[in-house]
Amino acid sequence: MDIQFERVSYTYQMNTPFSYQALKDINMEIKTGEFVAVVGHTGSGKSTLLQHINGLLLPTEGQVQVGNFRLSRDNKRQDLKKLREKVGVVFQYPEHQLFEETVERDISFGLKNFQVPAEETQARIASALEKVHLSDDVLQKSPFELSGGQMRRVAIAGVLAMNPEVLILDEPTAGLDPKGQHDIMNMFYDLHKTKNMTTILVTHQMNHALNYADHIFVLADGRVHMKGAPEQIFSQVESLEEANLDMPDILSLMNQINQKFGTDLCYKRQKPDELAKEIVEQLRENKPL
Amino acid sequence: MMTAIEFRDVYFRYNEDAPWVLKKFNLKIEENETVAIIGHNGSGKSTIAKLANGLLVPQAGDILVNGRKLTASNVWEIRQNIGMVFQNPENQFVGTTVRDDVAFGLENRGIPRKEMIERIHTSLTQVGMENYQNHEPHNLSGGQKQRVAIASVMATYPEILLLDEATSMLDPRGRKEILSTIHDLKEELEITMVMITHDLHEIILTDRVIVMNQGQIYKDTTVDHLFNDYQGLQSIGLSLPLTVELAIELERQYDYQFTTYPLDNEEFLEALWTSNLKE
């Protein structure tokens, strides 16, 4: 499902003294099967933007096209349920939304709501669990006995069980330890690669945007401030500064090395050992005799 | 020197069917030390903080704060000495303005109005939020909220400040704000500080690093020595800062020598500069 924002603006509490324009004239296009990162400082409009993709919010102006669904202010009354079946959203701290007595019932809650035939339920649950790397002995446990990381996986399994075509991830790694973050991001990346899942990652972590995304949209003050491939975006240090964003760790380090030693390191997704090699080679080359 | 927090043979588990989170656990934190307790999720690090101020009660063993044994009858009194800042900035507000929020803890302690106003001013200045006294907390950024939470705690003059993953829910800027606030507090005041974290960048501020694994102290060391056993740290699920990873590669492949592993870019550049001259 291709996604297209055309001149989208959104104002909260329109026509009241509290009215606040969160999105301003947003144009963006996301193609089927892309992995896109939406980054921006707190309050830049990221969460408002993502709520437009499955119709939780309708644009005040402009329109959003998601596959065959056209979302705008004028056509409010349509069956959004079909859309929401296809666009799965993993909200921030999704484990806070667990409520059922067992993991199995929690994962099947969405399936029931969307009238997935009962005979399919078991297979869907099993495949969702497999995708999040949990074994089926958690099924009869209460979700609340699990560790934080496992609870988050259960909540994600609930979304994946719907077999969405588009997956929206709002800060999916917040509050996890570094290893947990790494595991969860790799899990989403695998899904994206193997199932050709369109993935939209909203994140503060520039490292994740750099490592996983094909395209990055930088939001600032409700507008699309920059868009492009990660290498392009992160080469524009000043423009990033304007959006109050930092460089990914590896790029800021490479820039500083270049400045101090007059080297010419450039980012090609190097692993630490490869980068170390380049640093040494360039330093030896540059060394005056 | 007095011992600020002491755990003696402490056993703790969340319920009878659950495994022990802490088993015969011993720990001493001295007065005015700045200590980081690190470990992966589920290693027992947050449990330590909650036991230390009596939010959890151990099944066996003693916990002493400033040399006094923590009991059901003195827990309220002892808690006045331990200020705690939690993970979620949203869950820590009671007041409708920043000033009211800081005042809350002081009102509870019956501090006279005049002194209260002074303390509010001082503590908000310490965290750089003095110009926000009349702001509503829900309009603040995450980092600002956590700074107000720290100010609310500091206004009660605690002897010990416990930060339980206080930066893990913040964006990178918010995290930097809190770290510089903590740094300033450490410079200005004599206070025991315990930072519970899984972010290895934060330990740069501390005198001592305790690594937890499976309810045990895996390592009790200093920042400078922590990464000497980097394989061990990786094996218990901690990931290394990029600068440490690079330094390890430089040593392994190219005979560079680092006296200590660099924790941030500045240290890395400095070390690279020095060894490059020697070569």
Side-chain angles (χ1 to χ4, degrees), chain A residues 154-276:
Chain A
V154 169
I156 293 168
V159 176
L160 295 178
M162 301 308 306
N163 291 337
E165 292 174 28
V166 178
L167 194 56
I168 300 176
L169 310 168
D170 190 1
E171 298 270 356
T173 63
L176 296 180
D177 63 17
K179 185 168 181 303
Q181 296 189 12
H182 186 80
D183 293 348
I184 286 251
M185 281 314 299
N186 282 345
M187 179 190 93
F188 286 127
Y189 194 67
D190 277 352
L191 283 173
H192 160 70
K193 282 281 172 211
T194 55
K195 312 275 171 202
N196 196 31
M197 182 118 67
T198 310
T199 308
I200 300 163
L201 169 71
V202 173
T203 185
H204 283 305
Q205 301 247 24
M206 298 304 134
N207 296 336
H208 293 166
L210 176 68
N211 287 340
Y212 299 104
D214 305 318
H215 281 281
I216 297 180
F217 291 92
V218 179
L219 296 191
D221 191 27
R223 292 177 197 279
V224 177
H225 179 70
M226 302 162 80
K227 54 179 152 188
E231 290 83 355
Q232 250 172 312
I233 297 281
F234 291 120
S235 63
Q236 301 171 53
V237 185
E238 278 159 31
S239 195
L240 274 176
E241 272 293 313
E242 281 167 27
N244 261 316
L245 294 176
D246 295 323
M247 295 288 275
D249 293 342
I250 189 160
L251 296 184
S252 76
L253 182 62
M254 285 166 72
N255 288 345
Q256 287 180 17
I257 295 174
N258 286 343
Q259 270 173 23
K260 184 155 180 157
F261 297 96
T263 46
D264 188 23
L265 300 167
C266 67
Y267 181 70
K268 308 185 284 280
R269 300 189 181 249
Q270 297 97 323
K271 300 265 173 329
D273 54 333
E274 296 159 349
L275 182 57

Side-chain angles (χ1 to χ4, degrees), chain A residues 41-42 93 96 148-149 174-179 181 204-206 240-241 244-246 249-253 256-257 260-261 271-281 283-284 287, chain B residues 39-41 87-88 141-142 165 168-173 175-176 198-199 201 237-239 242-243 245-246 249-250 252-254 256 265-266 268-270 272-273 275-279:
Chain A
H41 194 53
T42 307
Y93 300 96
H96 293 173
L176 296 180
D177 63 17
K179 185 168 181 303
Q181 296 189 12
H204 283 305
Q205 301 247 24
M206 298 304 134
L240 274 176
E241 272 293 313
N244 261 316
L245 294 176
D246 295 323
D249 293 342
I250 189 160
L251 296 184
S252 76
L253 182 62
Q256 287 180 17
I257 295 174
K260 184 155 180 157
F261 297 96
K271 300 265 173 329
D273 54 333
E274 296 159 349
L275 182 57
K277 181 165 180 248
E278 263 179 68
I279 292 173
V280 172
E281 280 169 1
L283 285 181
R284 288 185 179 157
K287 210 167 170 137
Chain B
H40 57 86
N41 286 358
Q87 188 178 30
N88 192 340
S141 73
E165 297 195 23
S168 74
M169 290 177 76
L170 302 180
D171 62 26
R173 300 271 155 141
R175 188 166 295 170
K176 275 185 199 156
H198 49 58
D199 186 344
H201 296 101
L238 292 172
S239 35
L242 174 67
T243 48
E245 275 188 287
L246 276 177
E249 288 300 331
L250 289 170
R252 211 168 54 91
Q253 301 186 56
Y254 305 100
Y256 277 74
N265 290 1
E266 284 67 36
F268 182 82
L269 293 173
E270 203 51 52
L272 197 59
W273 184 254
S275 43
N276 202 40
L277 289 179
K278 270 188 243 154
E279 228 183 66

Side-chain angles (χ1 to χ4, degrees), chain A residues 25-36:
Chain A
D25 199 22
I26 300 274
N27 291 295
M28 62 195 274
E29 202 180 336
I30 300 167
K31 290 241 184 311
T32 307
E34 273 189 326
F35 196 122
V36 164

Side-chain angles (χ1 to χ4, degrees), chain A residues 48-66:
Chain A
T48 308
L49 180 100
L50 74 84
Q51 291 182 64
H52 279 78
I53 303 176
N54 76 344
L56 282 173
L57 295 176
L58 293 172
T60 318
E61 278 171 63
Q63 63 169 8
V64 180
Q65 182 88 33
V66 185

Side-chain angles (χ1 to χ4, degrees), chain A residues 9-78:
Chain A
S9 296
Y10 186 79
T11 305
Y12 284 103
Q13 306 195 42
M14 189 75 150
N15 300 327
T16 72
F18 306 106
S19 101
Y20 171 73
Q21 191 175 4
L23 294 181
K24 298 166 188 165
D25 199 22
I26 300 274
N27 291 295
M28 62 195 274
E29 202 180 336
I30 300 167
K31 290 241 184 311
T32 307
E34 273 189 326
F35 196 122
V36 164
V38 179
V39 302
H41 194 53
T42 307
S44 59
K46 304 189 294 293
S47 295
T48 308
L49 180 100
L50 74 84
Q51 291 182 64
H52 279 78
I53 303 176
N54 76 344
L56 282 173
L57 295 176
L58 293 172
T60 318
E61 278 171 63
Q63 63 169 8
V64 180
Q65 182 88 33
V66 185
N68 296 324
F69 294 89
R70 183 182 292 264
L71 305 169
S72 76
R73 215 179 157 200
D74 310 321
N75 47 354
K76 276 182 188 163
R77 297 195 172 276
Q78 55 180 317

Side-chain angles (χ1 to χ4, degrees), chain B:
Chain B
M1 192 159 47
M2 196 151 74
T3 303
I5 298 175
E6 184 174 358
F7 281 56
R8 282 188 195 157
D9 294 335
V10 169
Y11 286 78
F12 179 81
R13 58 183 169 190
Y14 282 91
N15 62 55
E16 280 183 17
D17 310 324
W20 292 106
V21 181
L22 297 178
K23 199 171 173 185
K24 204 172 185 340
F25 181 74
N26 286 284
L27 170 70
K28 264 187 178 186
I29 292 172
E30 305 299 335
E31 202 179 21
N32 299 337
E33 254 188 325
T34 304
V35 181
I37 301 181
I38 62 176
H40 57 86
N41 286 358
S43 61
K45 59 190 191 309
S46 284
T47 307
I48 296 172
K50 294 190 180 100
L51 285 164
N53 81 342
L55 285 173
L56 296 173
V57 181
Q59 276 83 15
D62 292 330
I63 293 163
L64 292 86
V65 176
N66 291 332
R68 287 175 66 200
K69 193 179 150 192
L70 190 64
T71 63
S73 56
N74 68 11
V75 61
W76 290 98
E77 202 186 316
I78 284 182
R79 234 175 243 169
Q80 303 212 352
N81 300 324
I82 300 194
M84 192 149 170
V85 178
F86 296 92
Q87 188 178 30
N88 192 340
E90 310 296 330
N91 294 348
Q92 300 180 60
F93 282 98
V94 283
T96 51
T97 64
V98 166
R99 185 173 52 190
D100 285 357
D101 201 78
V102 182
F104 179 77
L106 301 173
E107 282 168 347
N108 277 346
R109 286 169 171 75
I111 308 289
R113 181 181 157 80
K114 189 163 168 287
E115 190 185 340
M116 201 152 86
I117 291 169
E118 279 167 25
R119 284 203 196 185
I120 291 172
H121 179 76
T122 316
S123 66
L124 284 174
T125 308
Q126 277 166 351
V127 300
M129 290 293 290
E130 66 276 21
N131 296 327
Y132 288 83
Q133 291 216 14
N134 293 315
H135 283 237
E136 293 174 23
H138 70 94
N139 286 330
L140 303 177
S141 73
Q144 290 173 328
K145 282 180 192 162
Q146 283 300 63
R147 275 147 71 195
V148 174
I150 293 175
S152 301
V153 168
M154 295 310 296
T156 65
Y157 295 166
E159 290 159 23
I160 302 165
L161 180 62
L162 280 178
L163 301 145
D164 187 6
E165 297 195 23
T167 65
S168 74
M169 290 177 76
L170 302 180
D171 62 26
R173 300 271 155 141
R175 188 166 295 170
K176 275 185 199 156
E177 286 172 26
I178 296 303
L179 292 183
S180 90
T181 301
I182 293 169
H183 176 260
D184 294 347
L185 287 178
K186 192 188 161 186
E187 296 285 297
E188 285 167 29
L189 304 172
E190 299 214 317
I191 186 166
T192 310
M193 240 189 288
V194 182
M195 297 166 65
I196 301 200
T197 180
H198 49 58
D199 186 344
L200 291 180
H201 296 101
E202 293 180 13
I203 62 173
I204 203 161
L205 299 169
T206 61
D207 310 320
R208 179 177 164 202
V209 182
I210 293 168
V211 185
M212 290 294 297
N213 186 40
Q214 296 182 337
Q216 306 273 347
I217 294 182
Y218 174 80
K219 200 158 280 264
D220 187 345
T221 180
T222 59
V223 177
D224 287 349
H225 293 109
L226 176 66
F227 293 108
N228 292 349
D229 173 32
Y230 61 86
Q231 288 108 334
L233 296 180
Q234 284 174 315
S235 75
I236 61 164
L238 292 172
S239 35
L240 307 176
L242 174 67
T243 48
V244 175
E245 275 188 287
L246 276 177
I248 291 167
E249 288 300 331
L250 289 170
E251 280 193 344
R252 211 168 54 91
Q253 301 186 56
Y254 305 100
D255 304 330
Y256 277 74
Q257 291 282 319
F258 290 88
T259 40
T260 62
Y261 286 119
L263 274 177
D264 58 19
N265 290 1
E266 284 67 36
E267 287 182 18
F268 182 82
L269 293 173
E270 203 51 52
L272 197 59
W273 184 254
T274 320
S275 43
N276 202 40
L277 289 179
K278 270 188 243 154
E279 228 183 66

